Amino acid sequence: MPKEKFESIYKELRDRIEDETYPAGQMLPSEHQLTDEFECSRNTVRRAISRLTSEGYVQPQHGKGVRIIYTRLSPAEFTVGGIESFAETAARNKLKTVTKVIVLTELTCDDRMSSHTGFDVGDELIYIQRVRLLDGVAAILDTNIFLKSVTGPISKEIAESSIYKHLENDMDITITMSRRKITAERASQADNKFLDLKDYDFVSVVTGQTFDKKGRMFEYTQSRHRPDYFAFYDTAVRKKE
C-alpha cells in the first residue's frame, strides 16, 4: 500500500480523535470497519493504529479493541512531536497564525557556525529568523538555517507561509527525521524584543537538525517558545524484566 494511503488514514483518524469525533475513553471502530471505510488492507490500518499508539493517542487492549486515551490539556499549547511544520501543527490545534520574517539572508558557513550547527565549512546557507504569532500573541522566535544546495533559494513569501510545504511539493524533498534537544534558558535580548513574554524571564528552547531521505542534514533550527505556549509529549512503555 502506498505511503500516501497509510499517511492519509493516520491523519484522518488523528483528526477525528483530536476534534472528539472519537471521544476519549471510547473504542476506535474495528479493523474491519476501517478497512471497509478506507478501502485498504488490514496491514495499512494496523500501521496507522501503530503510529497512533506510539504517539499516545490510543491503547490497544487484547481481546477488546483499541481504546482512545488522548486528551487535550490546553488549547493554547503548541506541542512538539513528530516532524510537522508550524502551519500544520497550528492548524491541527485550531490556532490563528501569522509569521513575520525578521531576517532572510544568505551566508557561507565558517568554523564557528560549523561547530554550532553541524554544517560543513564552506557550505552555502540560507539564514531565516521569524516571529510566530498564535492567536495574536508573539509566542515563538524561530531561527532556521538551510543548506542551499538541497533546498534552493527561499523567498520571503515562502518563509511567511510554509517552507516545508515548498520543499516537499515544489522541490520534491522527502523529510525523514529530526534530532532534537529541549532546554529551558533565560530570555535573551532578542526574546524580550520580539516575544510577548508577559512576566516570564525564561523560554523553552527546541534545537534540532533535520535530515532528508538521503541522510543529508539540510536544516538546523532553534525555536524559542514562551513557556505557556509550549508542551512536549512522549509515550513510554514499561517493559517487564
Side-chain angles (χ1 to χ4, degrees), residues 12-148:
E12 177 61 28
L13 294 177
R14 182 196 63 190
D15 290 346
R16 293 179 188 179
I17 292 170
E18 290 189 345
D19 68 15
E20 297 184 329
T21 299
Y22 297 154
Q26 292 192 9
M27 309 298 285
L28 274 183
S30 69
E31 285 186 3
H32 179 71
Q33 290 173 306
L34 293 174
T35 55
D36 282 350
E37 177 184 354
F38 293 109
E39 299 181 343
C40 66
S41 68
R42 284 180 178 267
N43 183 58
T44 302
V45 167
R46 287 170 182 169
R47 287 180 63 196
I49 291 174
S50 177
R51 182 165 173 183
L52 290 169
T53 302
S54 69
E55 294 181 0
Y57 284 89
V58 300
Q59 181 180 20
Q61 297 182 328
H62 184 68
K64 296 182 179 179
V66 180
R67 187 175 299 279
I68 298 158
I69 61 173
Y70 170 86
T71 55
R72 186 184 302 281
L73 298 180
S74 168
E77 290 176 342
F78 191 82
T79 63
V80 175
I83 305 178
E84 282 188 319
S85 69
F86 168 83
E88 290 168 339
T89 305
R92 286 203 300 108
N93 285 278
K94 297 179 174 60
L95 297 170
K96 295 180 180 178
T97 67
V98 174
T99 295
K100 295 183 178 180
V101 175
I102 303 170
V103 179
L104 194 162
T105 190
E106 296 185 8
L107 48 82
T108 302
C109 186
D110 57 17
D111 289 324
R112 182 174 177 276
M113 180 163 285
S114 177
S115 63
H116 181 65
T117 64
F119 290 116
D120 292 330
V121 174
D123 281 343
E124 295 300 315
L125 306 174
I126 301 172
Y127 179 97
I128 305 172
Q129 192 173 53
R130 297 173 289 179
V131 175
R132 312 289 206 164
L133 284 77
L134 302 172
D135 287 345
V137 177
I140 305 171
L141 178 61
D142 273 345
T143 298
N144 305 87
I145 305 175
F146 292 95
L147 184 61
K148 187 180 178 181

